[in-house]
Every structure is written in C-alpha cells, then in structure tokens.
Amino acid sequence: MECKQCHGTGILFTPSSSRRKIDYLELCSCILEQCKCGGEPPYYNLDTDGILVRPCSCRPYRLKIKKIRSLFAKSNIPQKYRYRRLPEFETDHPNDEIAIQLAAAHDSAYHVVSRVGENPDAGGKGLYLFGPPGSGKTMLGCLILNEIILQHQIEVRYTKITRDLFNRIRSTYQESSHLYGKAENVFEDLANVPVLLIDDFGVQKDSEWEQRLLYDLIDARYENEKTTILTSNPEPQAYMDLFEGRIFSRFKEMMDFQPLITEDYRDRFVI
C-alpha cells in the first residue's frame, strides 16, 4: 500500500520558510521503520541469519538524497530558490489575461521538466522566458531546475550573464585567478551540462566579444542537443538581425517562447 506521506518516493521534500534552513530532504517514516543499518554508510546490514551482508532497504533512498544534495551543490542555483517546487508558482490573479499567461508559463515549465525526464541525453526543447524585471522569470527558471534535480536527478546549471559567465571567462586571462588559462574548461562546462539556465540574457553591453561568446555558447548547446532555458527582458524577435538571424533561428528550434508580462512577482513569493 502506497505511503500517504511520500506517495511511494521514500523521501520527503519539506521546504522551510527560513533562509537559514537548507536541508529539506529526509527519509520518510515508511523507510525509517524498515531501516536496520542505523543510517551508517555504506548502509548495509546482516541478513536475518546473521551470515550475509546485504544492502539495507534504506540504501537506495539515502543514496538518492546524497545525489540530490550533490547536484544542488554544483547547480549554482541562488540559495533563496533552492528546493522550492513548481506548485509554489502562483497563477491566480485578478486580471484574467495575466492569470491565463501565468498558467501558460506554469504549464510550459512542467513540459520542460517532463521532456528532460523522458530523454535525459537529448532533453528536448527548453524555454525562453521574457518580460519586464521582477515578473518572475528567474524564479520560474530556477523552479524548473529544482524539479529536474528532485524528480530526475539530472545535472543542471544556473548562470547569470555578467557575474557568472563573462566575469568568469575574463578571469581566465588573469594570472592571479585560480581559473587562469581555463577559459575552454569554463565554456565546455556550460556547453555540455544537460540543462542550462542563462539568466538575464540580453542585459550585456553587446560588445563584439560578448555577442560572439553568447552565440558560440548557444550554437554549441544546439549542436550538443542540450536543454537550454533563457530569461530575458527583450522578446526573442529582438535578436532576429543578430549574426544574420542565425541566433534567432537557433532559438526557434531550441526553445518555446513564453511571455511573463506582469507586475513585480517577487512580492508574492515568500522566502
């Protein structure tokens, strides 16, 4: 009979309203009741005859929690959004037009999570979220990453254009940096991670170097068939003339376009 607490997953995801608490994963009581190893790695115990050492019934669930924590540690997802779930994205709104748009964005997010789970090696179409600052684009993108980790244990990465991408690449040219000489490593990590969220796409100063770097990254992910999520203020058509339309062509093949044109959503999201 399926456990009513964890619904058969063996793990409880219990987000907290406290920013200080980051350990939201725990074994469900239905698994703890069967545990005979006492939670001691590597989670093995003697069989009923006391002769053979066998994996404890809790072992796959404890290993799953360990993997999830490891994936979150590598994800670079902002701390305030980690472990939050897609159902927390509110779609109710007194304005019917905005409510429909929020519901559509919510559905699009679930579709991305589902596609990645169905085909981890070539996760399928990502999402281009666009709208004014504060409309919930970054939050929704991060919730998608969270769901992919929690549901499918697939590696994801969050990168903010200026802070995480351009500045990291620039630091590889500085002898004092621990990344000195590793520009290719930084680029390849982002080009090959199964799911990448690029936040604030289009806020860069549009120098030739920045444009080329972004085009090369989008092109590499296109060629590698990796799932890409972008958040941006401009609508995707703003890039129609960039690189003779090649980057916009990539966008159309790689992502669904989803507007988020609403008031400041951050005030509605309790951290």
Side-chain angles (χ1 to χ4, degrees):
M1 187 174 181
E2 187 177 277
C3 175
K4 293 182 179 179
Q5 269 192 297
C6 68
H7 304 290
T9 64
I11 298 174
L12 297 179
F13 305 117
T14 53
S16 165
S17 60
S18 169
R19 291 189 181 189
R20 296 186 184 91
K21 183 179 178 182
I22 61 173
D23 189 6
Y24 302 133
L25 305 178
E26 58 185 6
L27 288 183
C28 182
S29 58
C30 69
I31 301 301
L32 287 173
E33 289 169 0
Q34 304 174 47
C35 175
K36 297 179 181 178
C37 70
E40 292 294 327
Y43 317 121
Y44 281 81
N45 59 271
L46 293 173
D47 64 10
T48 53
D49 297 325
I51 300 173
L52 297 177
V53 176
R54 299 185 184 279
C56 184
S57 58
C58 73
R59 189 172 193 272
Y61 303 98
R62 293 189 189 277
L63 293 181
K64 183 177 180 180
I65 287 177
K66 184 177 180 180
K67 183 173 183 180
I68 288 173
R69 287 175 178 157
S70 174
L71 288 171
F72 269 110
K74 294 192 297 183
S75 70
N76 199 39
I77 298 170
Q79 191 65 57
K80 67 179 179 179
Y81 295 131
R82 290 190 186 188
Y83 291 94
R84 309 306 291 248
R85 308 300 301 270
L86 269 175
E88 296 180 63
F89 186 82
E90 297 181 14
T91 58
D92 294 334
H93 197 280
N95 182 307
D96 289 343
E97 186 176 343
I98 292 178
I100 291 172
Q101 187 183 98
L102 290 170
H106 192 246
D107 289 345
S108 295
Y110 271 111
H111 290 155
V112 173
V113 176
S114 177
R115 286 192 292 259
V116 171
E118 290 170 1
N119 192 351
D121 294 327
K125 272 194 169 185
L127 198 59
Y128 185 107
L129 294 164
F130 63 97
S135 57
K137 304 182 299 294
T138 297
M139 183 188 70
L140 185 57
C142 289
L143 297 187
I144 294 171
L145 298 187
N146 291 345
E147 291 293 339
I148 290 171
I149 292 177
L150 292 170
Q151 291 188 35
H152 307 303
Q153 290 81 66
I154 292 172
E155 187 175 4
V156 306
R157 192 83 76 251
Y158 168 95
T159 185
K160 201 170 185 69
I161 283 289
T162 302
R163 182 190 67 206
D164 299 325
L165 179 56
F166 294 150
N167 287 353
R168 279 175 64 84
I169 293 291
R170 288 190 180 98
S171 70
T172 65
Y173 307 133
Q174 301 170 3
E175 294 186 15
S176 59
S177 171
H178 71 285
L179 292 173
Y180 178 64
K182 297 181 179 179
E184 185 174 345
N185 297 33
V186 173
F187 182 87
E188 288 299 317
D189 175 61
L190 296 178
N192 292 300
V193 67
V195 183
L196 175 67
L197 166 58
I198 305 177
D199 195 20
D200 282 343
F201 190 93
V203 301
Q204 61 276 6
K205 297 177 182 178
D206 291 326
S207 71
E208 184 177 349
W209 176 79
E210 290 169 338
Q211 287 186 0
R212 171 54 61 182
L213 179 61
L214 287 174
Y215 174 76
D216 288 346
L217 180 57
I218 294 296
D219 191 54
R221 293 192 62 79
Y222 171 81
E223 294 293 339
N224 296 337
E225 297 185 318
K226 302 301 181 183
T227 300
T228 305
I229 303 165
L230 299 184
T231 73
S232 183
N233 295 341
E235 61 183 25
Q237 287 77 9
Y239 301 99
M240 288 185 68
D241 297 329
L242 193 61
F243 292 104
E244 299 179 345
R246 292 194 298 274
I247 196 166
F248 180 67
S249 176
R250 295 287 191 262
F251 284 174
K252 288 193 295 182
E253 290 191 56
M254 295 171 67
M255 292 169 279
D256 293 324
F257 299 157
Q258 178 61 56
L260 271 176
I261 315 297
T262 182
E263 78 280 1
D264 199 323
Y265 195 98
R266 287 171 294 201
D267 294 337
R268 305 170 61 199
F269 188 67
V270 179
I271 301 298

